[in-house]
Amino acid sequence: MDSAKRFDKWNRANGSPGARVLWSCTALSVLATMLFLTAPTSDAPEGPSIERRSRRPNVLIFVTDDQRIGTLKHMPATRRLIGRKGVTFSNAFVTTPLCCPARASIMTGQYAHNHHVRRTLNPRKLDMSTTLQHNLQEAGYLTAIVGKFLNGWDVTRVPPGFDRSVLLVPAHSRFAGGSNAYYDAVFSLNGRKRTVKRYATDFIRSRTSSILRQFNRRDRRPWMMYVNPFAPHAPAVPARRHAGAPVGTVHSNPAIRNRNRNGKTPDVRRRSVD
């Protein structure tokens, strides 16, 4: 079964059949999953690097936005198909649990004080030559991003390091036009904006499957896919077919409402919890 068909199977079951899986909890309670799938191989001679390329894995990364770790109990298929087939880091830490800094750390493996993205709206601080996608692209990988990238990014530009981009425009972005990022969301397809009527996560799914099929037609090159749905970020609008799903109440961490900001960074002290 090729990777696109396996990805479709994951979507139907809310899980993933990846061979080797890295499962971790990251920024803003972001759930990040990295799947290392078997890379396509080729015996055709294409130069000195073909043997090395044929042995390299494909890389598929999922990042969900603001998903609390406790919500996984409502996703049994995901836990069965991903969690049980991979490695779970039960003692993991996020050094800067804020959207842009955390996403930059995922892409670079660096602390925020090293990659310099310290606020939620300063993507230009990130040296794009230090990212995973840049390094894999330079090594001959086909690369694509589908979904959210970095807040404040000019969505008319394809992010460096990616051959294909289907960017979800965040609702508060100046490019969004007032959408809620779930229905009537604005996407940028390789730099060209488009309003999508259907549920945004469904559109992300279909575009990811389509790009995977295209990548798999070029069997000599491994690929890297970076998939970032907006869900379940507030306002956490469900698909209409799931509006009545029996999901229990999620109790907030008391620290989120803590009014005592003494000892916090200046950026945190300036903000209100109301």
Side-chain angles (χ1 to χ4, degrees), residues 65-66 180-183 199 201 230-239 242-243 250:
D65 202 336
D66 283 6
N180 66 17
Y182 284 101
Y183 283 104
Y199 190 61
T201 307
F230 188 67
H233 191 289
V237 177
H242 296 146
V250 177

Side-chain angles (χ1 to χ4, degrees), residues 141-160:
Y141 273 65
L142 293 166
T143 58
I145 180 171
V146 184
K148 191 175 178 181
F149 183 50
L150 295 172
N151 289 341
W153 180 259
D154 181 352
V155 296
T156 63
R157 295 177 55 211
V158 175

